[in-house]
């Protein structure tokens, strides 16, 4: 894999408290990172303030706020997400097929109207914080987590979404059931040398990419490093050696 191909696959989670720190991260790391992910923390603090900053660096903007509402509301929200410059976003697959179709419709309408590139819409299946026990006892669902993940991924495909967010543990099963074209974005990535933090189902960048991940999410392994450029360069090296 060359540097451009690696850059396309790397997503950096901008999980920071301060907008200036987020801007600093974009500034320093955009030569290495194809997509920056803004989650609820930064979004609730500063809205879409960082979007233009990311666009100037020629990186994708992934709004990770996981819509889950009635179809009409999700359609309108998805329209505005694309109108305002994001080109990746996600919804909860448990919102149902009609809701996911509505997300796609809203996003495509805005992309057409504002001449944006085709949006990439991903579904969140089962949050990794939901255990088998919670699925059974609190949510009265008798399936195994993996069976439920696959069912929800199939629903997402039927609704016309591009793929799912899934841990490295589910990656192969999803590709097998849904096909190689169905995009999988994998968080919980830890290079060989980094701390596990609070993540349970982790994988190295190389093993996730070898198992078929289309995008891998880097977070604290890079953002908490004392030298972030050195950390990302080590990740590039690790990927090049392993693939
Ligand atoms: O710092 P770390 O690498 O653990 O960050 C992972 C990022 O991926 C965070 O933004 C987290 O919210 C997100 N994520 C995750 N597990 C999921 C879905 C998203 O860690 N199942």
């Amino acid at each position: 894999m060359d540097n451009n191909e690696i850059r396309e696959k790397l997503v950096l989670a901008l999980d920071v408290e301060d907008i200036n720190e987020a801007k600093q991260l974009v500034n320093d790391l955009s030569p290495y990172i194809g997509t920056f992910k803004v989650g609820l923390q930064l979004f609730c603090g500063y809205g879409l303030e960082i979007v233009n900053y990311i666009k100037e660096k020629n990186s994708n903007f992934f709004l990770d706020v996981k819509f889950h509402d009635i179809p009409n509301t999700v359609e309108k929200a998805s329209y505005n997400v694309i109108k305002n410059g994001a080109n990746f976003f996600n919804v909860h697959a448990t919102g149902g097929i009609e809701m996911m179709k509505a997300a796609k419709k809203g996003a495509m309408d805005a992309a057409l109207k504002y001449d944006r590139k085709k949006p990439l819409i991903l579904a969140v299946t089962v949050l990794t914080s939901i255990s088998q026990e919670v699925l059974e006892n609190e949510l009265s669902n008798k399936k195994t987590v993996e069976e439920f993940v696959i069912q929800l991924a199939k629903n997402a495909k039927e609704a016309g979404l591009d793929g799912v967010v899934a841990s490295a543990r589910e990656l192969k099963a999803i590709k097998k059931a849904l096909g190689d074209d169905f995009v999988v974005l994998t968080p919980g990535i830890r290079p060989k040398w980094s701390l596990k933090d609070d993540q349970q189902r982790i994988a190295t960048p190389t093993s996730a990419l070898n198992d078929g991940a289309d995008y891998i999410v880097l977070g604290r392994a890079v953002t908490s490093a004392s030298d972030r450029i050195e950390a990302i360069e080590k990740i590039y090296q690790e990927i090049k050696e392993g693939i």
Side-chain angles (χ1 to χ4, degrees), residues 23-153:
K23 287 180 177 172
Q24 188 70 48
L25 281 166
V26 174
N27 219 12
D28 294 347
L29 298 177
S30 54
Y32 303 91
I33 299 289
T35 302
F36 289 95
K37 179 170 94 63
V38 169
L40 285 168
Q41 181 184 12
L42 200 64
F43 180 68
C44 292
Y46 301 94
L48 293 171
E49 189 181 327
I50 200 159
V51 68
N52 290 332
Y53 213 76
I54 294 173
K55 293 278 139 192
E56 279 169 18
K57 308 283 180 199
N58 209 12
S59 295
N60 293 308
F61 180 99
F62 175 11
L63 185 65
D64 174 18
V65 296
K66 305 180 183 68
F67 292 143
H68 190 166
D69 210 316
I70 58 171
N72 181 58
T73 302
V74 169
E75 181 181 329
K76 305 265 158 63
S78 303
Y79 184 95
N80 280 342
V81 164
I82 301 303
K83 175 184 168 189
N84 287 318
N87 47 331
F88 279 37
F89 71 100
N90 54 9
V91 302
H92 273 286
T94 44
I97 293 174
E98 283 314 306
M99 187 206 78
M100 289 189 277
K101 282 185 176 167
K104 173 133 189 184
K105 180 173 186 311
M108 296 305 279
D109 285 351
L112 204 65
K113 169 112 197 247
Y114 296 97
D115 198 24
R116 299 281 150 76
K117 68 179 179 186
K118 185 180 170 289
L120 194 107
I121 314 171
L122 301 177
V124 173
T125 56
V126 181
L127 291 170
T128 39
S129 50
I130 303 287
S131 63
Q132 187 66 45
E133 196 187 3
V134 170
L135 193 65
E136 270 174 46
N137 299 341
E138 291 180 27
L139 304 176
S140 301
N141 189 318
K142 300 293 167 223
K143 288 187 187 307
T144 65
V145 170
E146 185 174 312
E147 283 167 353
F148 196 33
V149 164
I150 298 292
Q151 183 195 325
L152 291 169

Side-chain angles (χ1 to χ4, degrees), residues 12-15 37-40 64 66 90 124 126-129 165-167 170 185-190 195-199 201-202 217-224:
L12 186 81
L14 293 174
D15 296 331
K37 179 170 94 63
V38 169
L40 285 168
D64 174 18
K66 305 180 183 68
N90 54 9
V124 173
V126 181
L127 291 170
T128 39
S129 50
V165 180
S167 80
E170 294 137 10
L185 175 141
T186 304
I189 298 296
R190 293 291 176 274
L195 295 173
K196 195 171 157 200
D197 301 307
D198 53 355
Q199 293 280 17
R201 299 184 224 165
I202 57 170
V217 181
L218 303 171
R220 286 162 290 180
V222 172
T223 55
S224 303

